[in-house]
Amino acid sequence: MSELSTAALLEQFAFERVLSSSTSTPSVYLLGTISGQKAIVHVLKINFDIPEQVDDGEAREKARTAVKEVVAFSKVVPIEDNDIYRWAQAWWPADRSSPDVKLTLIYPATDVHIRKYETQKRVMVEETPEVYASVVRPYIESMPASRIQWVYNILNHEKEADRILYEDPHPETGFLILPDLKWDRKTISTLDLSPQYLSAIVFDKSIRSLRDLEKRHLPLLLNIKNSSEDVVKRNFGLEPNQVRLFVHYQPSYYHFHVHIVALENEGYVGLSVGKAHLLTDLISLLSLSDDSGPSLLQEMTFAYTLGQEDGLFRAYKEAKAIA
């Protein structure tokens, strides 16, 4: 990873195209290069008037001009870095007391990152246990460990150790709870409005997703539930009935983790049907599973959406498991 500061790297950022933008988040993902290597800059603000389609010269120049205004920060203050990810607060007029945006820099960015954040058509798929065994599990197992090195950095206390709110070091039932770097930890209002503010990350590396959960993992899930409720009560004054604990499927990274989000945050896109699965539901399904043999989670059919640029979508197509 480059030793240059985030501000110095941003000065070298050469814009190529807009991957995607959102007025509800609101944010924009910008693709470019730094010293010849791909880089992604995620800038979070109220909204951005930047065209995503830049097919003709005039539109491309308009986008280039707009992007120059977006990344022309007068002040950049780093928050944290972990592997290829950097987070910072940035100001346009440096004399403002509060930062204008929270930004994420992914550098160097891979084709996987580019496909993840680019606007794309989505389809609904149905994953049977057979499809999981023949398509999804081989896809997960093909991923290099380096893809989640940043997770191991956290678990090993090499990065973000000062952000840890709770830790149970038990190798089977233990986990860490820490704020997501989308949240600055400064105000409860930010806590309530942040898309994703706390995560519980387990130490057991054998659990990649909810498909790996068996009845023997009930103590782990119950430990996460009880400890998470205690953490949000003790640190933020939120009662257990004021937060959601849920798991994504498919997850954004294949190391089991639980999201902890304020109930009032209805705008979080990760709450969509087919994406978020409540922790209490997972606990109930495991409780109803046989003591031996596959769990109900391993025998279920899951329906979820996939972007057509997603690597898993291509695995479905290659296996002819989708039309």
Side-chain angles (χ1 to χ4, degrees):
M1 187 173 65
S2 173
E3 296 300 319
L4 292 176
S5 68
T6 303
L9 288 171
L10 286 171
E11 289 179 356
Q12 301 179 33
F13 181 75
F15 168 72
E16 288 188 358
R17 59 191 172 94
V18 176
L19 293 177
S20 60
S21 63
S22 169
T23 56
S24 60
T25 309
S27 65
V28 61
Y29 284 93
L30 308 173
L31 174 66
T33 59
I34 299 175
S35 301
Q37 291 186 293
K38 295 293 186 183
I40 295 172
V41 177
H42 174 218
V43 186
L44 187 65
K45 192 185 178 296
I46 295 175
N47 58 60
F48 295 92
D49 186 19
I50 300 178
E52 293 184 22
Q53 302 300 327
V54 288
D55 298 331
D56 60 78
E58 182 178 351
R60 182 177 296 275
E61 186 57 35
K62 181 180 179 182
R64 193 183 307 277
T65 300
V67 166
K68 284 182 178 179
E69 295 177 355
V70 168
V71 297
F73 301 113
S74 58
K75 179 181 177 183
V76 177
V77 176
I79 299 174
E80 184 68 80
D81 66 85
N82 188 343
D83 199 44
I84 63 172
Y85 301 94
R86 293 167 179 260
W87 298 270
Q89 293 177 328
W91 285 253
W92 280 298
D95 58 344
R96 288 172 54 89
S97 59
S98 300
D100 293 292
V101 297
K102 170 76 182 304
L103 64 87
T104 302
L105 171 63
I106 305 173
Y107 170 72
T110 66
D111 289 341
V112 173
H113 294 106
I114 295 170
R115 289 193 297 267
K116 177 179 179 179
Y117 295 114
E118 186 164 23
T119 301
Q120 56 190 285
K121 292 182 178 179
R122 307 184 68 81
V123 297
M124 182 70 76
V125 299
E126 293 186 358
E127 180 192 294
T128 63
E130 293 74 25
V131 169
Y132 173 76
S134 63
V135 178
V136 181
R137 186 170 62 197
Y139 168 77
I140 296 172
E141 293 173 345
S142 70
M143 293 183 178
S146 59
R147 284 279 296 276
I148 55 173
Q149 182 58 48
W150 65 274
V151 177
Y152 300 151
N153 290 344
I154 293 174
L155 295 176
N156 295 332
H157 286 211
E158 295 172 7
K159 291 290 182 179
E160 305 184 44
D162 63 323
R163 301 174 65 85
I164 296 172
L165 299 176
Y166 177 85
E167 178 174 4
D168 180 338
H170 194 282
E172 295 180 357
T173 60
F175 53 93
L176 297 174
I177 296 178
L178 74 168
D180 187 278
L181 277 165
K182 296 180 181 70
W183 174 45
D184 62 12
R185 296 186 295 173
K186 292 183 179 179
T187 62
I188 291 296
S189 60
T190 305
L191 167 68
D192 290 340
L193 296 175
S194 176
Q196 174 183 315
Y197 65 85
L198 295 180
S199 295
I201 305 176
V202 304
F203 283 107
D204 189 343
K205 295 180 180 179
S206 69
I207 312 174
R208 296 158 300 186
S209 75
L210 58 78
R211 277 289 197 189
D212 291 318
L213 292 173
E214 300 175 350
K215 194 162 189 174
R216 62 187 176 89
H217 292 122
L218 272 173
L220 168 63
L221 300 191
L222 290 168
N223 193 13
I224 292 175
K225 181 178 184 298
N226 295 332
S227 299
S228 298
E229 292 173 350
D230 180 66
V231 165
V232 296
K233 171 66 174 178
R234 178 164 33 88
N235 287 272
F236 314 114
L238 296 177
E239 298 294 338
N241 61 6
Q242 293 179 295
V243 294
R244 290 186 180 93
L245 278 67
F246 59 90
V247 173
H248 281 152
Y249 195 71
Q250 297 288 326
S252 56
Y253 58 94
Y254 290 97
H255 181 99
F256 189 72
H257 56 286
V258 176
H259 300 290
I260 308 162
V261 175
L263 190 63
E264 293 182 1
N265 186 2
E266 298 289 349
Y268 176 48
V269 295
L271 296 175
S272 58
V273 172
K275 179 69 173 179
H277 301 265
L278 291 172
L279 182 61
T280 51
D281 290 347
L282 303 185
I283 291 172
S284 293
L285 288 168
L286 291 180
S287 298
L288 294 170
S289 299
D290 290 336
D291 292 335
S292 60
S295 68
L296 290 178
L297 291 172
Q298 294 170 333
E299 295 182 314
M300 288 176 60
T301 293
F302 288 95
Y304 50 83
T305 61
L306 282 178
Q308 293 186 351
E309 295 299 322
D310 193 299
L312 182 55
F313 176 83
R314 291 196 300 277
Y316 266 87
K317 293 288 287 186
E318 291 171 3
K320 298 181 179 179
I322 189 174

